Amino acid sequence: MMNTPPLREDARVIGLVSLAHGVSHFYHLILAALFPWLKPAFDLSYAQLGLLMTMFFVVSGIGQALSGFVVDRVGARRVLFCGLALLGTAALVLAGAQTYAMLAAGSMLAGLGNAVFHPADYTLLNQRVSRARIAHAFSLHGISGNLGWAAAPAFLAGIAALAGWRVALLSAAAIPFVTLALLFAQRAHLHADPAPVQAAGVPRDSSFAFMKLPAVWMSFGFFFLTAIALGGIQSFSSASLVALYGISLAQATTAYTAYMLASAGGMVLGGFLAARARRHDRTIALSFICAALMALLVGATVVPGWMALVLMGGIGLAAGVAGPSRDLLIRAAAPDNATGRVFGIVYSGLDSGLALGPLLFGTLMDGGHPAWVFGCIALFQVLAIGTALTVGGSSRSPQLKQA
């Protein structure tokens, strides 16, 4: 990018892409937020509820790895529009579900829609936003995702309490369709060129050459490990807090909301840190050490109930600070002209972890071990630090961009 675009144009692109990203994260919890209603309505166990989340993220993970290639082939805008349409359709299917199988079908359809967002979003941001503002673009993009996560429980549970879970899902269906209409009206600002499929004289397997880079797979591992921890927080932290501290479900939900809002605030701070820092892996390591220590304190029940709610916010703040540094680390690991493919593969680790997390933590809850939920959250956060440090060392290698 030779000339720096005006701030107004960068802000428009960041805003539109971030809005779509927030919708996709809202849909991550479209079922989890309604677990208290779906469990008695269909007579389900926690493990069965967790399996619905697993199906969503398995489909999303596979689809995300593949959609990166589609984004590089046909362009990000078309793929992004298809994803929004699929999310809205999935909510309509879920609203009409009469059996567990129909819930599963709706969940998998939503996972397919969710699959496109990270490859499409990051391709648009990398192509349309100036280098000088890219750290803040990643920060705001991450914030929008956290706001989507924070909004889902309040929106869906609030409507379900008043009018039932089916009405809540019908209301949720309107969100991606309205967003799609807005983005379509602004489509001229979301143009992104497809990546060259094959340059002259380059071997035919060059489209897959990035997969030989250890940094790409360590990045996948980082997302996989942190997503397992996130899956525990999203799906069962509220139920665990109720069991451990005897607080109400409303208070526990407030703690989860505090986690998400604090995480969004952490991303604002993290954007400024990432714009100035050179060692993004160190920022990530320090952030996750703090998050893991606070998770252990919550699980150990050595603090009063009100302090557990504060610590939940602290965990979110620490994780949020790491967000922009994480995205810049992945950007540095992406070879030229492979943005969609790299982000598709790497972020499929997020879906893979979110697929496994609900099953793992749901089993812990069914077994009567709510304290283990937070212990495992801390464990996976600590394990992720090693992958981040490895990616940081690899991305500073002068051979990286030769792939």
Side-chain angles (χ1 to χ4, degrees):
M1 192 174 295
M2 299 300 294
N3 299 316
T4 301
L7 174 60
R8 182 176 180 179
E9 178 61 21
D10 275 356
R12 187 195 302 268
V13 173
I14 294 168
L16 292 171
V17 173
S18 296
L19 175 62
H21 187 231
V23 173
S24 77
H25 278 234
F26 181 98
Y27 267 70
H28 287 187
L29 300 179
I30 194 171
L31 288 176
L34 296 174
F35 278 176
W37 289 268
L38 296 175
K39 191 175 190 297
F42 292 88
D43 191 24
L44 304 177
S45 68
Y46 282 116
Q48 287 175 307
L49 291 171
L51 182 58
L52 290 174
M53 301 291 291
T54 296
M55 287 186 280
F56 175 101
F57 287 111
V58 165
V59 172
S60 181
I62 296 171
Q64 189 158 195
L66 297 175
S67 65
F69 290 86
V70 179
V71 166
D72 284 341
R73 177 66 64 89
V74 306
R77 184 175 62 188
R78 295 179 185 176
V79 179
L80 184 62
F81 289 175
C82 288
L84 287 166
L86 284 171
L87 289 182
T89 303
L92 294 176
V93 172
L94 289 168
Q98 301 296 327
T99 64
Y100 184 78
M102 292 181 69
L103 288 177
S107 180
M108 288 188 286
L109 184 60
L112 184 61
N114 181 70
V116 311
F117 285 89
H118 286 126
D121 288 0
Y122 282 106
T123 296
L124 285 166
L125 292 176
N126 276 293
Q127 288 197 23
R128 301 289 298 180
V129 177
S130 62
R131 180 179 294 272
R133 302 182 184 117
I134 195 67
H136 298 292
F138 288 162
S139 174
L140 292 171
H141 182 262
I143 290 168
S144 70
N146 279 60
L147 292 177
W149 279 334
F155 180 92
L156 291 162
I159 295 177
L162 294 174
W165 62 270
R166 295 187 189 277
V167 175
L169 287 167
L170 286 173
S171 301
I175 296 174
F177 288 129
V178 171
T179 303
L180 176 59
L182 174 61
L183 266 61
F184 184 80
Q186 298 287 320
R187 62 190 180 277
H189 302 281
L190 296 174
H191 174 72
D193 296 322
V197 176
Q198 183 181 345
V202 178
R204 286 188 177 272
D205 66 348
S206 61
S207 294
F208 299 89
F210 75 96
M211 298 180 73
K212 300 176 183 178
L213 294 171
V216 170
W217 294 107
M218 293 304 290
S219 299
F220 174 94
F222 173 81
F223 276 94
F224 177 71
L225 293 168
T226 56
I228 293 176
L230 179 60
I233 292 172
Q234 286 183 341
S235 300
F236 296 108
S237 64
S238 295
S240 179
L241 287 172
V242 171
L244 290 172
Y245 291 93
I247 60 178
S248 68
L249 180 60
Q251 289 174 310
T253 302
T254 300
Y256 171 77
T257 301
Y259 171 92
M260 287 302 170
L261 294 178
S263 182
M267 287 184 180
V268 176
L269 175 60
F272 287 98
L273 290 175
R276 292 165 173 77
R278 298 177 64 86
R279 296 291 303 271
H280 301 302
D281 48 342
R282 290 182 178 176
T283 302
I284 294 168
L286 290 172
S287 298
F288 276 108
I289 287 172
C290 293
L293 289 174
M294 286 184 280
L296 287 175
L297 284 175
V298 174
T301 61
V302 296
V303 297
W306 66 268
M307 181 58 72
L309 306 186
V310 174
L311 288 173
M312 282 288 290
I315 297 169
L317 179 67
V321 167
S325 293
R326 172 202 68 192
D327 292 335
L328 286 173
L329 203 64
I330 306 307
R331 185 176 187 263
D336 296 335
N337 299 321
T339 305
R341 283 164 280 169
V342 169
F343 277 97
I345 291 291
V346 167
Y347 271 88
S348 68
L350 178 68
D351 290 328
S352 300
L354 288 172
L356 177 61
L359 273 182
L360 169 64
F361 292 106
T363 301
L364 292 176
M365 290 297 296
D366 282 337
H369 303 293
W372 292 12
V373 169
F374 287 97
C376 287
I377 288 169
L379 172 63
F380 288 110
Q381 288 174 330
V382 170
L383 290 175
I385 292 172
T387 62
L389 293 174
T390 302
V391 174
S394 299
S395 62
R396 287 187 290 274
S397 170
Q399 286 78 33
L400 178 68
K401 293 297 182 182
Q402 295 179 7

